[in-house]
Amino acid sequence: EEQLVESGGGLVQPGGSLRLTCTASGFTLMDYDMKWVRQAPGKGLERVSLITASGSFATYANSVKGRFTISRDNAKNTLYLQMNSLKSEDTAVYYCGKAMDVTPSGQGTQVTVSS
């Protein structure tokens, strides 16, 4: 059974940092482009970042460009999202997923940016 488990969220002050981790099981991560998406309260899903299967290319939403960095360790079947200079508007539930998937399959991890 394919499974994605997100972790690393929490409460952080504006300007702070968090590193999210996505652990994949039941499939080989290196076979897929992967993404992080988020859903803020009362809003729809927003794609935050995407990374190609090899890790050689990544894209970012304008709202996070220069602050977030996506990476992957295919040997560990793990995807990461380093989030720096966090803002209150980054508050959301963050999900990882295959780039091709329309809706997230995991439980997500809550990120709350507040003083």
Side-chain angles (χ1 to χ4, degrees):
E1 179 186 1
E2 295 186 359
Q3 191 174 19
L4 293 165
V5 178
E6 302 92 344
S7 62
L11 173 63
V12 62
Q13 292 186 344
S17 298
L18 284 173
R19 188 193 197 201
L20 305 185
T21 298
C22 168
T23 303
S25 59
F27 68 99
T28 302
L29 194 74
M30 68 185 300
D31 290 342
Y32 297 93
D33 297 345
M34 297 293 292
K35 65 184 178 185
W36 285 96
V37 300
R38 66 185 180 186
Q39 188 164 26
K43 296 188 177 181
L45 286 171
E46 176 191 16
R47 193 177 78 183
V48 174
S49 183
L50 180 148
I51 187 168
T52 54
S54 67
S56 60
F57 184 74
T59 63
Y60 298 91
N62 287 335
S63 57
V64 307
K65 201 170 293 183
R67 300 187 297 120
F68 290 12
T69 303
I70 191 171
S71 62
R72 61 195 297 162
D73 186 336
N74 287 335
K76 295 182 178 180
N77 241 31
T78 303
L79 180 73
Y80 303 99
L81 185 68
Q82 178 67 43
M83 306 187 298
N84 299 329
S85 303
L86 283 161
K87 305 176 181 180
S88 58
E89 50 262 45
D90 295 318
T91 295
V93 179
Y94 285 71
Y95 303 89
C96 62
K98 297 176 182 177
M100 66 178 72
D101 291 342
V102 174
T103 55
S105 60
Q107 295 296 310
T109 186
Q110 175 71 48
V111 172
T112 303
V113 185
S114 175
S115 55

